Amino acid sequence: MAKGEKTPVSSPSGQETPALESLTKGRLLVALNALLSRRNVTKAAHDLGVQTSALSRMLAQLREELGDPLFVRSGRGLVPTPFAESLRPRVHAVAKELEAIFATPAPVSHSGAPFDTRWNVPSQFRAAPLAVRPAHLLDGEPSHHEVVRKLEQVADDAPPQKRLARHIGMMGIAGGGNGRPLTIEEAEEALDIILAGQADPVQIGALLGMMRLRGTTAAELAGVVRAVQRHTRTVLGTPAQASLTADLDWPCYTSPHNTAPPWFFHAARLVAQAGVTVLMHGSTGTGAVAGRYEVIAKAVGIPVCTTAAECAQALATRNIAYMPLVTLAPQVYRLLGLHGLLEVRSLIFESLPMIRPANSKTSLLGVTKPSYKELHRDTAMLLGWSDLSILGSVRDIAQFSPFRLTALHQLIDGKPRDVLIPALMAEPPVAPRPRGTPLEYWEAVWTGAMRDARAEQIIVSTAAFALFAIPGRAATFDAALEQARGVWKDRLHAPTQHGVSTAENGRERLF
């Protein structure tokens, strides 16, 4: 059925009538105008004075009646489809006219005679709208329709810079909201060109800035992830990377300003000791502290791997490995360095937790914005993933907090599932200021040389979250928590890569 085509339904008398009565159509047009203006269901519902659920139902009805999705979800709200954008002027005009009708005061006769509505009527004839040239074309600027036709003429075998310019142009045609989001294939090609070193520096800033301004869609993020994955295969070697397998993908990309102790590294060690293969990969920016996680991994005997062969060996012998982004995807690492010039969190940041260097059963992510958990989960579905676990209310890394209500947003066998886990306990007091360096204190909590009840609970519950996320590992979070507590209790009996127990190894360094 074509977009906008009416769907007839049968009336009680058996005659066909339009699917939507005029009253319902008017309500839906007003709702669509608010959604186009606000690009957010909650805010639009507030403006209209209706419940969010009611507006969501009206949006579903609009989509069915008009035969178009109308909006796609992005990290910054709803992005109108090209069809919805084409309706914007007409819908806005109808909504304004409705407001004007109800704002018009009753006619008053100034002659003292009664106002006779039988002859005081509008003309039954209509004049065509005043013909004018659009104001934005006064200086010879082409219309956005002409720009679209010109961009569509760019051939698929055109030079890389020309093809990248086509994608940038499609997102921001002639300004004024005439652009559209990129498809998966377009976003993938755009980043392929950048990672191949064939893009102009101005184009890189324009592409990332435009995506940030409009709000990234799941299709765009999926395309960028595909391009980054292809880049990692080029760096590591396609055959070698294809043989990499792991039970758990644990991305850890954090801001260089994040100085909180990385207790999740200890949790990953517990999971590895439980017989799960864990591949960690990450970065702490590109500046003076970029090697923080490399130091941390080496300090506790987690192999830091720079090749696929090293990673495969570590996973086979130690059940755990860490790969720095700088060696895993050097061009992407350099793109992160643009943050100092742009001072915005670009799409590259959002793609890194989803690059899965190995063939993993599931991945652990941490997000803060409610819209981003849907963005990443929708992206995973577009990428064909069957399992994913997103830890809500935590930015960048999957580190569990057992002291508050926690929301888990998952994909289980390709189907979305949300789980709420109540606070497991009251938060213990913060431990006194430790002696020694933060790194020494962090190591000493593992060995038992320092007791920190709060840190221990974070480590154990984070390990439980990881075990709960692995398909078939634990039926409930409580069961996963029991497994994690058991491994924590026996952790010091596991040998290090040097054949010395972790307790002995830690005490040799500290004392």
Side-chain angles (χ1 to χ4, degrees):
M1 181 176 293
K3 294 177 181 177
E5 183 178 340
K6 296 179 180 178
T7 305
V9 298
S10 296
S11 66
S13 63
Q15 297 179 342
E16 289 190 346
T17 59
L20 296 177
E21 299 296 338
S22 298
L23 179 60
T24 304
K25 288 179 180 178
R27 293 178 68 248
L28 292 182
L29 286 178
V30 172
L32 179 56
N33 181 64
L35 288 167
L36 286 168
S37 174
R38 283 295 201 169
R39 298 191 178 190
N40 182 287
V41 175
T42 303
K43 293 179 180 178
H46 181 268
D47 291 348
L48 297 174
V50 300
Q51 296 292 328
T52 302
S53 58
L55 185 57
S56 296
R57 288 193 295 270
M58 284 190 274
L59 177 56
Q61 196 171 2
L62 278 163
R63 284 168 166 165
E64 181 178 359
E65 178 67 16
L66 298 176
D68 187 83
L70 297 179
F71 298 93
V72 292
R73 187 183 292 112
S74 79
R76 301 185 66 191
L78 299 176
V79 177
T81 64
F83 176 66
E85 286 286 5
S86 70
L87 296 178
R88 183 193 294 272
R90 297 166 60 191
V91 171
H92 182 68
V94 171
K96 294 295 290 184
E97 183 65 21
L98 286 173
E99 292 179 5
I101 289 174
F102 287 98
T104 302
V108 178
S109 173
H110 298 285
S111 63
F115 188 86
D116 194 334
T117 58
R118 290 173 298 178
W119 62 25
N120 292 296
V121 296
S123 173
Q124 62 178 317
F125 305 105
R126 296 279 183 180
L130 179 66
V132 296
R133 184 182 185 185
H136 70 279
L137 299 181
L138 292 179
D139 295 327
E141 179 185 346
S143 69
H144 73 271
H145 298 292
E146 294 172 315
V147 175
V148 169
R149 287 194 294 270
K150 180 179 178 181
L151 292 174
E152 289 176 343
Q153 293 172 0
V154 177
D156 292 338
D157 59 352
Q161 290 186 5
K162 195 72 173 178
R163 286 182 280 127
L164 184 55
R166 175 180 61 187
H167 299 320
I168 296 171
M170 282 296 185
M171 285 193 293
I173 296 170
N178 294 311
R180 62 162 175 81
L182 298 182
T183 65
I184 293 180
E185 293 75 19
E186 290 171 340
E188 183 177 3
E189 182 184 43
L191 204 71
D192 274 338
I193 293 171
I194 292 175
L195 296 180
Q198 298 173 322
D200 186 272
V202 175
Q203 289 182 309
I204 297 175
L207 180 75
L208 298 180
M210 189 72 69
M211 286 182 169
R212 174 69 179 179
L213 179 64
R214 292 185 60 87
T216 305
T217 65
E220 290 172 335
L221 184 55
V224 169
V225 170
R226 284 183 183 177
V228 175
Q229 288 176 329
R230 185 178 296 107
H231 178 54
T232 62
R233 288 194 295 270
T234 301
V235 174
L236 299 178
T238 300
Q241 190 187 28
S243 64
L244 277 180
T245 60
D247 295 320
L248 190 61
D249 177 76
W250 203 320
C252 38
Y253 297 88
T254 56
S255 165
H257 305 297
N258 183 353
T259 58
W263 302 120
F264 63 93
F265 261 87
H266 288 328
R269 297 171 70 190
L270 286 183
V271 174
Q273 288 187 14
V276 176
T277 52
V278 182
L279 176 55
M280 307 181 76
H281 52 96
S283 170
T284 53
T286 60
V289 298
R292 180 188 299 159
Y293 289 160
E294 297 166 33
V295 173
I296 286 171
K298 291 177 180 178
V300 294
I302 297 177
V304 176
C305 305
T306 60
T307 67
E310 291 177 356
C311 186
Q313 177 68 15
L315 292 174
T317 58
R318 303 297 304 277
N319 280 353
I320 191 168
Y322 173 77
M323 300 193 77
L325 179 67
V326 64
T327 59
L328 178 63
Q331 280 289 83
V332 179
Y333 176 83
R334 287 301 184 189
L335 283 177
L336 285 185
L338 295 179
H339 183 271
L341 296 176
L342 305 176
E343 286 299 334
V344 294
R345 186 180 174 93
S346 73
L347 177 64
I348 303 302
F349 287 85
E350 309 310 328
S351 69
L352 292 177
M354 306 194 71
I355 62 177
R356 276 197 184 180
N359 298 314
S360 304
K361 293 181 180 179
T362 191
S363 296
L364 306 183
L365 276 67
V367 300
T368 47
K369 293 184 178 179
S371 59
Y372 272 69
K373 57 120 176 148
E374 295 292 350
L375 175 65
H376 284 87
R377 190 158 58 181
D378 289 350
T379 301
M381 296 175 72
L382 290 175
L383 293 171
W385 292 9
S386 59
D387 291 274
L388 170 74
S389 287
I390 302 173
L391 192 60
S393 304
V394 180
R395 183 174 180 176
D396 301 326
I397 53 172
Q399 180 168 287
F400 196 92
S401 175
F403 316 121
R404 61 172 181 260
L405 178 71
T406 300
L408 302 185
H409 313 290
Q410 298 181 297
L411 272 183
I412 304 296
D413 292 330
K415 298 179 180 179
R417 181 180 77 173
D418 292 338
V419 179
L420 287 178
I421 300 176
L424 305 179
M425 64 199 71
E427 185 168 4
V430 177
R433 182 178 178 85
R435 54 193 174 95
T437 68
L439 176 59
E440 290 175 336
Y441 182 81
W442 176 82
E443 291 181 273
V445 170
W446 174 271
T447 63
M450 291 289 183
R451 295 303 306 272
D452 187 331
R454 182 178 181 278
E456 291 175 10
Q457 296 298 338
I458 292 174
I459 294 168
V460 172
S461 59
T462 301
F465 161 62
L467 293 171
F468 179 62
I470 299 171
R473 180 76 193 198
T476 64
F477 188 84
D478 288 340
L481 192 59
E482 284 302 310
Q483 293 182 33
R485 286 170 176 162
V487 182
W488 173 257
K489 182 179 179 180
D490 298 333
R491 72 192 184 282
L492 300 182
H493 301 297
T496 69
Q497 67 184 118
H498 303 294
V500 182
S501 72
T502 54
E504 294 173 355
N505 194 20
R507 290 191 178 95
E508 285 177 352
R509 282 195 298 270
L510 288 171
F511 306 109

